[in-house]
Amino acid sequence: MSKRMWGGRFSQEPDAILEEINASIDFDRHLYAQDIAASKAHASMLAKQGIIGAEDAKKITQGLDTILAEIERGELKFSRALEDIHTHIEARLAELIGPAAGRLHTARSRNDQVATDLRLYVRDAIDRLDQAVADLQLALAEKALAHAGTVMPGFTHLQPAQPVTFGHHLLAYVEMLARDRGRLNDARKRLNECPLGAAALAGTSFPIDREATAEVLGFDRPAANSLDAVSDRDFVVEALAAASISAMHLSRFAEEIVIWTSPAFGYVRLSDRFTTGSSIMPQKRNPDAAELVRAKTGRIVGALVQIIVVMKGLPLAYAKDLQEDKEATFDALSTLALIVTATAGMVRDLEADEKRMKAAAGEGYATATDLADWLVQRLGLPFREAHRITGQIVARATAARLPLHRLPLSELQAIEPRLTEEIFSVLSVARSVKSRTSFGGTAPANVRVQARKWLKKLAKEHKDG
Ligand code: ARG
């Protein structure tokens, strides 16, 4: 008979290559805390229901606590021959408490066990991510308030479009991150059903209390269908989809930091704490952290694609394919935590070159729309007509190699005689942003209101949370 936990009907040991492909301990060891918590909940429920003796349950619980401490001290030896974290813990329990250990696996299977462990793991990760993303929002909102009146070019097509405020630009990311948190927490709600007690796939004949284990483990309810409970990994897909969208946002911000810190732009500066040098070019200051945030997004999206492909076409209920749900998930969720934290670090570190930003905001005829708007508001022209006249003025300024506000009034009047001196005040970038007071617009007054609203909301969450 094989020595394996499942070895009763086997006469030979597995081939080395089977052991190699089958073992998951190298990665599912990260589930140890969740596995032990779920086992403790299961054991005390079994005792309460009179399925195992109270003495045995006590031994099991104490043994599991000992194992938790052993793993945390790095003392438990992991071996591929023992397959996975569930068998490791059970084998160690048998060493510690003897035959009582064999009662723990009553009315459950590794199938509901691993589904429960992974849900707990993803739930913890979501909760930690929510806090990390909230901290990034805080960093952005603080910077935004400080730069509510700092003018910079706003771009479309990466061409100067209209002046905006730096604070407004940063708050755009606060909005994105709020949606990211919404998606993560939404995924958490659907995740929060407990598979434990579904057993291998069909439920069990033992009089278990699934409500009780679900409650102890902080789930809202037990999962209602045992086949679904052991084979569903939607919660992984949803969490990774939310993570991918968030990483996508971070990669956009990272790209902007790369652009802004390039001397060609020079809008912001990262301190030495967030830049690296080149081994050959002594002058270089490279924004490596931003580049890595941008690149690591690929791993997270890759993990999402991987799990969807693993799940595609998988018949009910459990199949070993499901073992391939873990590595990518662990990696993606911890990578997201890493890049969120690195981004918050960069936000707190970065310093805006306000002069440079302001000068750039005036380049490229970025206040041309303001001129057109003035023609509409003051002269009552239809916007299309105003657009045409402004286009002619821009063409003339371009030919004369002058910014709009340096064109003499006479030149302007040659194109539109009703233009007056007043137009010069409209052409300044400060005036331009100040006038954008429509709800959601870039006016410094708006930005202050929005930044304060976020800071208040985040502080309240922090207090309540
Ligand atoms: N290591 C396995 C996994 O991650 C645990 C479940 C094993 N179940 C089974 N029927 N062999 O999926």
Side-chain angles (χ1 to χ4, degrees):
M1 192 181 75
S2 162
K3 299 192 299 289
R4 312 273 147 176
M5 204 150 273
W6 34 257
R9 53 113 56 226
F10 288 78
S11 52
Q12 285 182 302
E13 288 300 316
D15 192 276
I17 196 67
L18 171 59
E19 198 168 284
E20 173 91 20
I21 194 173
N22 202 27
S24 53
I25 188 60
D26 292 347
F27 46 89
D28 66 17
R29 64 216 277 171
H30 294 301
L31 293 175
Y32 74 90
Q34 289 79 7
D35 197 66
I36 288 172
S39 286
K40 284 170 70 174
H42 186 64
S44 46
M45 180 277 291
L46 290 177
K48 227 182 251 151
Q49 297 298 105
I51 301 169
I52 66 173
E55 258 315 294
D56 284 343
K58 205 172 143 198
K59 276 194 213 156
I60 289 171
T61 303
Q62 287 171 347
L64 288 169
D65 284 336
T66 305
I67 297 170
L68 182 66
E70 286 177 349
I71 297 178
E72 263 158 13
R73 288 195 301 265
E75 284 170 15
L76 193 74
K77 282 249 310 271
F78 295 113
S79 109
R80 288 212 175 143
L82 264 180
E83 267 187 63
D84 60 24
I85 189 64
H86 323 294
T87 44
H88 272 81
I89 290 173
E90 205 182 315
R92 180 65 186 138
L93 191 63
E95 283 173 12
L96 287 172
I97 68 168
R103 301 199 181 276
L104 172 59
H105 214 51
T106 314
R108 77 169 187 189
S109 144
R110 277 188 291 162
N111 299 349
D112 57 338
Q113 204 179 340
V114 74
T116 306
D117 294 359
L118 192 59
R119 278 185 196 243
L120 291 172
Y121 182 97
V122 173
R123 194 178 70 187
D124 290 349
I126 287 176
D127 291 346
R128 279 197 306 272
L129 275 171
D130 185 65
Q131 281 188 16
V133 178
D135 181 60
L136 174 54
Q137 286 184 299
L138 180 66
L140 286 162
E142 280 167 349
K143 253 307 141 151
L145 186 59
H147 288 287
T150 305
V151 185
M152 71 180 281
F155 296 94
T156 60
H157 314 266
L158 201 57
Q159 303 286 328
Q162 294 174 354
V164 296
T165 55
F166 187 40
H168 195 53
H169 195 117
L170 295 175
L171 287 180
Y173 285 95
V174 176
E175 297 288 335
M176 291 177 231
L177 295 169
R179 293 193 294 273
D180 293 343
R181 293 177 65 196
R183 273 181 284 270
L184 284 167
N185 285 307
D186 191 41
R188 189 196 196 281
K189 277 183 211 138
R190 267 184 303 282
L191 164 152
N192 212 25
E193 295 189 345
C194 186
L196 196 60
L201 74 166
T204 174
S205 56
F206 289 98
I208 58 171
D209 181 353
R210 291 193 57 205
E211 298 280 347
T213 41
E215 200 189 314
V216 172
L217 294 170
F219 287 106
D220 295 331
R221 64 192 80 83
N225 180 297
S226 62
L227 292 165
D228 181 44
V230 294
S231 62
D232 168 55
R233 295 294 183 272
D234 288 2
F235 63 99
V236 175
V237 179
E238 287 193 43
L240 293 185
S244 294
I245 295 172
S246 192
M248 171 195 80
H249 291 147
L250 297 181
S251 80
R252 298 180 72 177
F253 187 61
E255 169 68 1
E256 300 208 289
I257 290 183
V258 170
I259 293 174
W260 294 340
T261 54
S262 164
F265 280 72
Y267 296 173
V268 309
R269 190 184 151 85
L270 288 171
S271 79
D272 289 356
R273 294 176 57 228
F274 278 90
T275 31
T276 59
S278 153
S279 56
I280 173 168
M281 298 164 284
Q283 86 285 7
K284 291 297 289 291
R285 301 185 82 250
N286 300 328
D288 289 31
E291 293 163 84
L292 287 164
V293 168
R294 187 172 63 182
K296 280 182 191 291
T297 301
R299 299 163 71 133
I300 298 171
V301 178
L304 170 65
V305 174
Q306 180 180 330
I307 182 77
I308 289 177
V309 175
V310 167
M311 297 310 293
K312 183 204 165 284
L314 207 62
L316 299 188
Y318 179 87
K320 204 59 177 266
D321 306 51
L322 291 170
Q323 182 164 284
E324 283 292 305
D325 60 359
K326 294 175 200 63
E327 277 178 288
T329 303
F330 297 162
D331 182 71
L333 295 175
S334 59
T335 298
L336 182 60
L338 174 68
I339 65 177
V340 168
T341 310
T343 304
M346 285 190 283
V347 170
R348 292 200 163 98
D349 184 74
L350 68 79
E351 250 183 68
D353 186 335
E354 298 182 26
K355 265 206 186 129
R356 187 78 188 241
M357 281 182 167
K358 190 169 178 195
E363 286 163 10
Y365 309 108
T367 54
T369 315
D370 297 274
L371 200 162
D373 287 350
W374 186 90
L375 293 170
V376 171
Q377 281 160 0
R378 284 315 182 90
L379 306 183
L381 298 182
F383 183 76
R384 278 291 153 236
E385 171 72 1
H387 187 288
R388 199 183 49 75
I389 293 169
T390 307
Q392 289 176 329
I393 293 175
V394 168
R396 185 161 299 204
T398 312
R401 294 170 180 271
L402 287 173
L404 285 180
H405 64 278
R406 292 258 178 281
L407 269 189
L409 186 61
S410 55
E411 293 246 359
L412 295 170
Q413 285 171 337
I415 294 166
E416 171 47 61
R418 286 171 294 176
L419 280 166
T420 67
E421 279 286 341
E422 194 189 286
I423 195 65
F424 292 109
S425 69
V426 170
L427 295 178
S428 92
V429 290
R431 248 311 267 277
S432 171
V433 293
K434 209 172 152 200
S435 72
R436 300 274 191 270
T437 51
S438 58
F439 181 74
T442 197
N446 282 13
V447 174
R448 259 172 227 117
V449 169
Q450 288 293 320
R452 288 205 181 99
K453 178 201 84 178
W454 277 112
L455 290 171
K456 208 165 131 189
K457 194 171 147 79
L458 291 163
K460 185 173 181 306
E461 265 178 26
H462 190 72
K463 210 176 79 208
D464 300 347

